[in-house]
Amino acid sequence: MRPGQIAAKTFMDIKFPKGHVGVKSFDAELIDQEGNSIPSYETYLHHWFAIKYIQNITMSVNPKFHHPEDLIFQRNEGTCNGYILPHYWGFGVESRGTTSNIPNPFAIEQGSPIKIPNGYEEKWLLNIMAIDTRGAKHKKGCTECRCNHINLPKDFYNVTKDMHNQPLTTDYKGGLFCCQDNVQCKLREGFQGPRRKLSLRYKISWVDWNKYQVPVKAEYTIPANGSGDFHVQTTHIPMKKGGYLIYGTSHMHSGVVNATLYGQDGRILCTSTPKYGIGKEAGNEKGYVIGMSVCYPEPGSIKIKDGEILTVESRYKNEFRTGVMGHFYIYLADKLSQRY
């Protein structure tokens, strides 16, 4: 990546455990060619998502001969529809300090032969956005994808469509549409810096699936939809299928105060709070979110009922920000181990 460059990439068919397995954790971080961790104030990991798909084993290597049924995305079992937040795992700049580990005896079941149609094979992709802020005039504005801090094409507003396939208006001040692949943050005059090759290093821990593993639902991803000191957004999510809560955390951006998940009766199911860095070393960068707290309820202590309406509340400092996110991730188990 060159100084100021924004990379928004998708990598197909990544290495993933083969066979019928139970995934216990999936963690990732940005590194350089020597394997050193990259500080967030040099390159900001906006997000990474791991997404599952199945591919026809006879699919041609020539894209001209591809058919819609050759590649089918298999989203998580969450409440969002279609292609909205389909990933199974994913965080952002807070990745190094946020654990994804699922407690024993639970695991995320993958590779079940009965769930893979005949003639297909299960595969995974990574969707990544990284923002190189070396020499940027406004690091914070660039990491928030503010349009006026990025060198965008002159016809950007004329040709860019929003999520509803409508032309983007000049009222759009910042967000993912301004962080397009290969555009560049505005740099300080005269700044020079070397290109460098970065990688996303990921680590998956898993066990072979057996009768002693207790399956949990694939990750639920709930997108959170203000005066005073805080800007608060809430959204209400009907849960078609409930279960026992065994894990909860959130993916938020700088400026976050906390994110809370409530049950229909107002009880707090999980509150995820940020940890901000105080130093210069990778994983402790001053002013950056370096981790989000994780909830591990005592198994069986919190049950979400079928049809229960949950509320997600995301709370940020009340100041102008663009491109912020408010995702809440939970894992639910249909049943508990006999020892519980």
Side-chain angles (χ1 to χ4, degrees):
M1 294 181 70
R2 65 186 185 277
Q5 182 181 354
I6 296 174
K9 308 287 187 183
T10 296
F11 299 92
M12 307 294 290
D13 194 17
I14 64 170
K15 290 184 178 180
F16 195 88
K18 298 294 185 182
H20 194 186
V21 300
V23 177
K24 300 291 294 180
S25 64
F26 193 134
D27 300 304
E29 68 163 334
L30 276 181
I31 59 171
D32 63 17
Q33 284 182 283
E34 285 71 45
N36 301 310
S37 299
I38 296 295
S40 297
Y41 52 78
E42 291 185 4
T43 303
Y44 184 85
L45 181 57
H46 186 278
H47 70 259
W48 64 269
F49 297 141
I51 300 173
K52 181 168 65 174
Y53 64 98
I54 55 173
Q55 181 177 308
N56 192 320
I57 59 176
T58 63
M59 187 175 79
S60 172
V61 295
N62 188 339
K64 292 182 179 180
F65 300 107
H66 287 179
H67 303 284
E69 64 274 13
D70 283 341
L71 192 151
I72 303 171
F73 289 98
Q74 294 197 317
R75 59 163 297 111
N76 60 54
E77 298 178 64
T79 58
C80 295
N81 297 316
Y83 292 101
I84 300 175
L85 303 177
H87 56 282
Y88 280 71
W89 291 275
F91 288 115
V93 69
E94 77 281 14
S95 291
R96 292 189 184 106
T98 307
T99 179
S100 64
N101 186 61
I102 301 299
N104 290 327
F106 305 101
I108 310 299
E109 184 182 12
Q110 300 296 337
S112 172
I114 65 174
K115 295 182 180 180
I116 303 174
N118 187 40
Y120 285 82
E121 56 185 340
E122 185 177 280
K123 295 189 175 186
W124 290 80
L125 66 82
L126 278 174
N127 176 265
I128 304 168
M129 179 184 288
I131 304 172
D132 191 315
T133 59
R134 291 174 297 159
K137 285 184 177 180
H138 198 296
K139 285 180 180 281
K140 179 173 177 288
C142 199
T143 61
E144 292 181 1
C145 298
R146 292 191 195 174
C147 305
N148 62 328
H149 292 301
I150 299 171
N151 291 318
L152 295 171
K154 291 183 178 180
D155 60 351
F156 172 74
Y157 285 103
N158 293 329
V159 300
T160 306
K161 300 291 183 66
D162 63 17
M163 63 186 302
H164 303 294
N165 203 35
Q166 298 299 312
L168 208 62
T169 71
T170 53
D171 291 333
Y172 185 81
K173 302 301 182 183
L176 292 179
F177 291 110
C178 289
C179 276
Q180 298 180 3
D181 187 37
N182 283 327
V183 298
Q184 188 178 34
C185 301
K186 293 179 179 178
L187 300 180
R188 300 192 302 270
E189 186 174 354
F191 180 85
Q192 297 290 328
R195 283 178 174 265
R196 60 183 183 182
K197 184 177 181 180
L198 304 184
S199 301
L200 186 78
R201 177 168 60 194
Y202 62 94
K203 179 181 179 181
I204 304 171
S205 62
W206 76 95
V207 294
D208 291 331
W209 191 261
N210 57 48
K211 65 180 181 179
Y212 301 108
Q213 302 301 320
V214 178
V216 300
K217 295 182 182 301
E219 184 177 54
Y220 274 86
T221 304
I222 304 174
N225 290 335
S227 62
D229 294 332
F230 307 115
H231 178 79
V232 180
Q233 288 189 322
T234 61
T235 190
H236 305 290
I237 307 294
M239 300 290 289
K240 183 177 180 180
K241 186 75 168 64
Y244 295 98
L245 180 65
I246 64 164
Y247 174 99
T249 191
S250 62
H251 165 53
M252 311 288 280
H253 289 185
S254 292
V256 59
V257 177
N258 60 42
T260 301
L261 179 68
Y262 297 91
Q264 188 166 327
D265 59 0
R267 71 194 190 283
I268 295 177
L269 305 181
C270 175
T271 294
S272 183
T273 58
K275 181 179 181 181
Y276 284 90
I278 57 174
K280 291 185 177 181
E281 67 274 18
N284 189 32
E285 302 92 333
K286 185 177 180 179
Y288 288 83
V289 178
I290 60 172
M292 294 296 296
S293 66
V294 174
C295 298
Y296 286 113
E298 183 69 24
S301 63
I302 297 179
K303 185 174 183 180
I304 296 171
K305 299 177 181 178
D306 293 352
E308 185 170 352
I309 298 176
L310 305 185
T311 297
V312 177
E313 178 184 272
S314 63
R315 187 180 298 260
Y316 277 89
K317 295 177 182 177
N318 195 17
E319 54 191 33
F320 178 66
R321 296 180 183 277
T322 58
V324 297
M325 293 182 174
H327 299 174
F328 215 102
Y329 305 137
I330 62 175
Y331 290 112
L332 302 179
D334 283 328
K335 60 182 180 179
L336 299 175
S337 172
Q338 290 184 352
R339 68 188 181 96
Y340 294 113

